[in-house]
Amino acid sequence: MTLRVRIKYSKRYPATLIGHLDTMGVFQRGMRMAGWPLEFTRGFNPRIKLSSGPPLSLGVSSNAEYLDVALRRRMSAYRSGLLKEKLIEGLEVVDISEIEKDDPGINTIISGFDYQVIGEVLEKNPPFSKCSLREKDGEIFVRVMKVDGNIANPSKVSGLKGCSYKKIKTLFVD
Amino acid sequence: MKTPDWEKILPKFQLPGRYSGGEYSAYPNRENTIKFLLAFPDDYSIGMSSLGFHTVGNIVNLQPGFSCERVFAPAIDMEEWLRKENYPLFSLESKRPAGSFDIIGFSMQYELSFTNFINMLELSKIEPRREDRQDCPLIMGGGPSFANPAALSAFFDIIILGEAEPVLPEVLSLYQKEKNDRNSFLLNAAAIEGVFVPGISKTARYAIFKEFDNTYFPVSPPQALTESAHARINLEINRGCRNRCRFCQASVIYSPYREKTVEKLMEVASASVASTGYDEISLTSLSGTDHTEIIRLLDELHYSFRSLGVSAVMSSMRPSHFASGLAARMARMRKGGITLAPETPSKKLQKVIGKNISSEEIISAAVEAARLGWKRIKLYFMIGLPGEDAEDIESIISFISLVKKSSGLTVSASISPLVPQPHTPFQWVSAQDPDQLLQKAEYIRKKAPAKVSRFNKGQHIIVSILSRADASLSELLLAARKRGARFDQWSEHFNFEIWEEAFRDIGSSWEEYYFREYKTSEVLPWDNVVLEVGRESLLKAYQKAMEA
């Protein structure tokens, strides 16, 4: 029996210093260490069946990242909780939930992100074709939506030069 | 000196994960301990995959009253930042300046990291030359580069010769007792077997770990988070080599041959799998298939870890073993390619190097590999051997063709020039003209039906010179560093012109050192290092090679 599990996690310094693939590597190792009943692909190079949401840029923190993983069977709450202890400083499991077999993958249902802009904004006249800007209580927020299946990096589209970002919200397809 | 806001600064560097620390099993930060900084003079990715490096870190952390942190050669962008900000090199764990540690222990493993070592001292604001230093951390060295300590001696306060396991704990205990009297510590340390104190020791024995099947295995070393493609468990199954190929230094300095029992290895493997989460176990050794119980080991590993999706890999093997049950067992592992090292197909040169692997053996191994589903084979050859002629070079080309034709495998070949190494029977021979070597390699590259990898002529020259260096070459290292040499192991950073100028700076030329031939009556710069394999047996093997 195959089971699908969705992990919601947060990423903060110093984990923000490792890239997306390496972060996936950490999760894979953490799940092995926690003894999760992982399902593997067939063949000479058995791989964990894992899919993630759009990659988070290096140096950017987030309180809501997602990944889906396939398991061979249901596991105990203890085993599931063990993953928290098997990650690295800055990576924190927020929630683990079972999803239905035919539920769409995480990448399909994410529609965009909200980022908070950190640092001084040097130029605020951007070509906002793929993103929108909003100010609240002196803070600047950027919303980046999915276009043609891709979600752009805010620094590439917003024209906010010299800024860094903090992802604060993940938006889902209704 | 203000502590930088690392969270803000580090993301600006390339692969910032290599400075962050906080990896799985990063070393604990313990207060009120003697602070040991374990330093690797090359990039994080290389140091972190070194078993020797982790073994030393493990020993230090097990030592009561000590704590170990790590530092690696900073990448170019970080080095530029350190120099611009006048900020000292810092440790990964606590981000403390290197110069504030009690001991800095450098893992010296290959010649082309020597300039990085000097650079790291400079970046730590520590004078490279021992005689120029005052009130500095104790600069300790260890690793295979000290098989010839002649050129490095000027920079180190104390050197651990040979395998650290039996020596380092005693040295650290002594340091704890005498940390307030450096001179007394060094004098007493010089009496420990396996310790060489420059300026005090005349000769020293190269240490060998007799209880090889014992612990000290770093079951959960800090694990790199970046470049996880290389991430795997390194399981050292044996040390030393039963064969005595005359060009090989490792088989001499790690002599005698020792192996771990299958029981011990399974214990270590299980603990490592549980504590690392890695899905690959690499069996590391000079010649893995020489392990007396390799088949049983591979079976145990396979059946124990298969359901966890963990598989074992082995890098190279002897073809005679491949023909037996081993091939079938390797066939169920992940298939990269198969790697064999015939060195030379010439019967005459096989006698010279003392490695007799018949061409038939290799061809039948290749045919068997193809039958079991492999697609690629990699062959290692050596050129520049004493007595080599044009016919011997031709034989490499025809041999590659034969392997390809009879097995149908895609062949790739690596051609490396002989580097005459200290403590080998070839320590007396003169190295071959590098231009000729390059011509030979290019000739093979053009003619052989295989992808043939190049070697870098300049790097070959410098490695050959530094390998048999005498004490005068410490000045060369300083001169090369002063002219900007660093990361010499990386062909994109290596600059031979710097080294040529450095030779001029010390009033010499590379040719003078490179073509040097030692007489058997001469005292060699590394004769003060006493090994298990004595000079007499090397001399005998040398004469045998010359007669062949």
Side-chain angles (χ1 to χ4, degrees), chain B residues 1 80-89 123 125:
Chain B
M1 189 173 62
E80 280 168 0
W81 183 83
L82 291 172
R83 289 191 187 279
K84 197 181 87 208
E85 300 290 319
N86 195 26
Y87 196 81
L89 188 65
L123 291 170
K125 305 179 189 298

Side-chain angles (χ1 to χ4, degrees), chain A residues 22 26 29 32 44-45 86, chain B residues 24 223 228 277 279 308 331:
Chain A
D22 292 325
V26 169
R29 285 157 65 184
R32 281 176 201 278
F44 279 111
N45 293 302
K86 303 291 180 186
Chain B
Y24 278 124
Q223 298 146 39
S228 24
D279 62 355
L308 300 173

Side-chain angles (χ1 to χ4, degrees), chain B residues 189-295:
Chain B
I192 299 173
E193 186 167 297
V195 172
F196 184 83
V197 180
I200 296 175
S201 306
K202 294 283 172 280
T203 64
R205 260 200 102 80
Y206 205 78
I208 290 295
F209 188 34
K210 298 214 171 67
E211 305 149 71
F212 180 64
D213 196 37
N214 203 325
T215 48
Y216 271 136
F217 192 93
V219 165
S220 64
Q223 298 146 39
L225 299 175
T226 53
E227 298 182 41
S228 24
H230 299 286
R232 51 162 94 136
I233 294 161
N234 285 316
L235 187 62
E236 188 188 23
I237 62 171
N238 53 11
R239 206 178 274 186
C241 184
R242 291 178 196 280
N243 309 291
R244 225 5 96 63
C245 308
R246 292 184 186 128
F247 54 83
C248 178
Q249 186 190 55
S251 72
V252 178
I253 65 176
Y254 294 110
S255 175
Y257 174 81
R258 290 148 287 164
E259 55 186 47
K260 287 196 203 294
T261 57
V262 173
E263 284 65 35
K264 184 74 198 178
L265 289 167
M266 288 308 294
E267 192 188 307
V268 171
S270 306
S272 302
V273 167
S275 69
T276 64
Y278 284 144
D279 62 355
E280 199 171 289
I281 301 172
S282 166
L283 309 185
T284 58
S285 89
L286 290 171
S287 180
T289 49
D290 279 348
H291 194 287
T292 40
E293 292 200 278
I294 187 68
I295 302 266

Side-chain angles (χ1 to χ4, degrees), chain B residues 304-452:
Chain B
S304 303
F305 299 120
R306 184 176 48 173
S307 68
L308 300 173
V310 176
S311 57
V313 295
M314 206 157 58
S315 53
S316 95
M317 72 209 75
R318 288 176 78 82
S320 53
H321 295 105
F322 191 75
S324 58
L326 198 59
R329 274 150 182 104
M330 295 196 61
R332 67 189 174 202
M333 296 179 188
R334 289 183 182 167
K335 283 199 186 59
I338 168 169
T339 304
L340 298 172
E343 315 296 356
T344 170
S346 150
K347 287 228 155 40
K348 176 189 83 192
L349 292 182
Q350 286 179 355
K351 275 195 188 134
V352 172
I353 62 173
K355 182 173 187 176
N356 305 306
I357 295 179
S358 74
S359 302
E360 293 74 34
E361 263 180 279
I362 291 182
I363 285 159
S364 63
V367 171
E368 178 71 354
R371 192 182 67 81
L372 288 164
W374 267 276
K375 300 276 179 273
R376 288 177 286 127
I377 187 166
K378 179 153 197 188
L379 299 172
Y380 281 86
F381 296 99
M382 195 172 270
I383 58 172
L385 297 167
E388 178 181 272
D389 55 32
E391 210 175 296
D392 299 321
I393 298 300
E394 290 294 343
S395 77
I396 293 178
I397 297 164
S398 47
F399 182 69
I400 292 174
S401 310
L402 192 57
V403 170
K404 190 181 162 81
K405 220 165 88 191
S406 42
S407 68
L409 295 171
T410 304
V411 184
S412 62
S414 161
I415 310 287
S416 23
L418 171 74
V419 175
Q421 305 241 54
H423 306 294
T424 69
F426 288 164
Q427 64 180 353
W428 289 284
V429 307
S430 165
Q432 230 177 65
D433 183 339
D435 284 318
Q436 275 178 26
L437 288 169
L438 205 59
Q439 273 168 20
K440 287 177 185 176
E442 282 301 309
Y443 181 72
I444 297 168
R445 225 165 72 83
K446 275 200 201 102
K447 296 267 175 154
K451 191 169 178 287
V452 178

